Amino acid sequence: MTPSKTLTVALEDRSYGIHIGAGLIEQAGHLLAPVLQKPGAFIVTDDNVAPRYLEPLQKSLGASGIKCDHLILPAGEATKSFANLQVVVEAMLAAKVERSTTAIALGGGVIGDLTGFAASVTLRGIDFVQVPTTLLAQVDSSVGGKTGINTAQGKNLAGSFYQPKAVLVDTDTLKTLPDRERLAGYAEVCKYGLLGDVDFWDWLEQNGARVLSGDNDAITNVIEISCEAKARVVTEDERESGVRALLNLGHTFAHAFEAELGYSGALLHGEAVAIGIVMAFDLSVRLGLCPALDADRVRAHFNAVGLMTKPPVEAQRIAPDVFLGHMMQDKKVADGKITFVLVRGIGQAFLTQDVTQSDVTAIFEAALTV
Ligand code: NAD
Ligand code: GLY
């Protein structure tokens, strides 16, 4: 059996394939064997994913003669920490990984980001492979080589650019994903349409409910379109010196909410991104850059599918200045100025630093009003 589709992230000697299809974990052995330097791997996963997919992955790798050790971490955003970076690195060293061993991230974006970072520093860099099992990870975080952890100062503030050797997207894993997680991942899907592909956004307005109800054709379509878009952008700008920053539409706002609310699960990353996207559209409208009707369309679709468009009540008690303080810690701050991803309309994102603090404060005040 062959995967339904293989895309390529073209980065010269760091190029790799994204295999997308149903039942791919069962084919992992023969799909991954060609990219492994030796038949030895170390799987990192979490305690929600392990009971479902660890054994099938080990079985498939084993059938191709690939020996594996593994580590199971607690599920959740709080796992993306310095403490767990140490846990992963030391577990791999204790298992006597060699430079030719491959780390395998089996799970969502948390496991992917943490494992990729650990692989990039263990023995000064061992190969790694992504086996994403959330919608968010399948459409975004497993592709492009951004790895990292959260720190006390904010989200994703320590990390590396480190490309995987392959990405294996098994769409069957989404059948066990909780609805809330599927919806959070859908925010990142919407991002691709809103930042640069109005036709995709039109399609999502018509078909979003099919994606969220688990329709396999609709899901496969959004994964392929999203991964194609991401691969294109990463090929053009691997280390985010330009166009890749557009993929952060809504994220500067989102990261401020996540940092303040503490990675506790009260607000998922994708939920924060949905709120941040709405705020980016509202700011663009306020600055006279974007028609109000486009912001209304975004809000209407998010409301229709059940995505958050306003911060949760916990955030509504906090002053805008607190969030502005977090935004100043963003990786895109240059010379003390925040780089914003704003829009001239749906599908027309651009970067600018030309935003006053009072405009940002006004957007927070509106968002934080019950
Ligand atoms: P996650 O990894 O926490 O997974 C969400 C939850 O779903 C977890 O509880 C997990 O155990 C569970 N789960 C995973 N797969 C499952 C399955 N198939 N069935 C049942 N349960 C399953 O969160 P996420 O939304 O996948 O990722 C969010 C993270 O990704 C954030 O830290 C964010 O910063 C990061 N991110 C990184 C990039 C990047 O380019 N590196 C891009 C976007 C987001
Ligand atoms: N998720 C944003 C990026 O990969 O650049």
Side-chain angles (χ1 to χ4, degrees):
M1 212 200 305
T2 50
S4 58
K5 188 149 194 169
T6 300
L7 307 172
T8 301
V9 182
L11 291 169
E12 298 174 347
D13 60 337
R14 282 160 294 106
S15 299
Y16 54 96
I18 309 169
H19 306 286
I20 303 169
L24 293 199
I25 286 183
E26 284 163 24
Q27 302 179 52
H30 85 256
L31 286 171
L32 296 182
V35 301
L36 265 51
Q37 291 185 48
K38 70 164 191 182
F42 189 98
I43 303 169
V44 182
T45 189
D46 74 28
D47 56 11
N48 284 331
V49 176
R52 295 170 167 108
Y53 304 112
L54 180 58
E55 201 183 306
L57 179 60
Q58 286 169 321
K59 199 169 153 201
S60 170
L61 295 172
S64 290
I66 300 164
K67 289 204 183 72
C68 297
D69 289 298
H70 70 267
L71 172 68
I72 302 172
L73 292 167
E77 187 69 36
T79 289
K80 243 177 76 172
S81 65
F82 264 121
N84 280 316
L85 177 65
Q86 181 177 357
V87 169
V88 178
V89 171
E90 291 187 348
M92 292 202 285
L93 296 175
K96 304 219 167 9
V97 297
E98 299 175 354
R99 277 201 167 147
S100 52
T101 305
T102 297
I104 300 180
L106 172 69
V110 165
I111 290 297
D113 283 12
L114 174 66
T115 307
F117 191 22
S120 75
V121 297
T122 300
L123 305 177
R124 297 212 172 88
I126 63 170
D127 288 350
F128 92 110
V129 160
Q130 293 265 19
V131 184
T133 61
T134 63
L135 180 60
L136 184 141
Q138 295 188 351
V139 298
D140 191 353
S141 64
S142 64
V143 176
K146 275 191 186 175
T147 80
I149 54 171
N150 307 318
T151 76
Q153 290 72 25
K155 180 98 178 132
N156 296 338
L157 292 183
S160 58
F161 286 101
Y162 197 65
Q163 300 295 339
K165 292 292 170 190
V167 180
L168 206 147
V169 176
D170 184 341
T171 54
D172 277 348
T173 60
L174 299 182
K175 290 179 183 158
T176 59
L177 192 66
D179 289 346
R180 184 180 172 203
E181 297 292 348
R182 190 188 309 266
L183 194 55
Y186 184 72
E188 299 277 21
V189 171
C190 290
K191 174 184 82 175
Y192 292 108
L194 293 171
L195 74 87
D197 187 346
V198 70
D199 292 341
F200 185 41
W201 173 258
D202 291 344
W203 187 90
L204 290 171
E205 283 182 325
Q206 300 303 316
N207 295 282
R210 279 176 60 210
V211 175
L212 291 164
S213 70
D215 177 312
N216 194 54
D217 289 346
I219 288 180
T220 304
N221 187 46
V222 299
I223 293 171
E224 288 177 3
I225 291 177
S226 302
C227 287
E228 275 164 9
K230 181 118 191 212
R232 220 171 23 245
V233 171
V234 170
T235 299
E236 194 179 327
D237 177 23
E238 183 184 7
R239 297 180 74 90
E240 198 169 292
S241 48
V243 67
R244 184 164 181 174
L246 296 178
L247 294 176
N248 298 318
L249 175 63
H251 283 57
T252 308
F253 293 105
H255 289 171
F257 289 118
E258 290 183 271
E260 187 56 30
L261 298 184
Y263 316 121
S264 62
L267 185 66
L268 301 179
H269 175 70
E271 293 170 342
V273 167
I275 298 162
I277 288 175
V278 170
M279 291 174 76
F281 269 81
D282 286 348
L283 181 55
S284 306
V285 172
R286 181 182 170 88
L287 297 176
L289 298 164
C290 169
L293 270 178
D294 284 19
D296 293 345
R297 266 178 81 182
V298 176
R299 206 175 244 107
H301 182 57
F302 283 9
N303 281 327
V305 295
L307 264 175
M308 296 172 88
T309 55
K310 259 186 171 300
V313 269
E314 298 92 304
Q316 291 173 356
R317 293 188 211 101
I318 300 164
D321 278 359
V322 174
F323 295 109
L324 277 165
H326 287 298
M327 289 171 92
M328 290 306 296
Q329 286 271 1
D330 191 85
K331 291 186 292 307
K332 293 180 302 308
V333 169
D335 299 327
K337 295 194 102 182
I338 300 168
T339 305
F340 284 89
V341 186
L342 296 185
V343 285
R344 295 198 174 85
I346 288 171
Q348 300 173 62
F350 67 100
L351 301 175
T352 181
Q353 291 191 326
D354 202 7
V355 179
T356 65
Q357 187 166 327
S358 64
D359 284 319
V360 184
T361 302
I363 293 302
F364 269 107
E365 277 167 354
L368 295 167
T369 306
V370 185

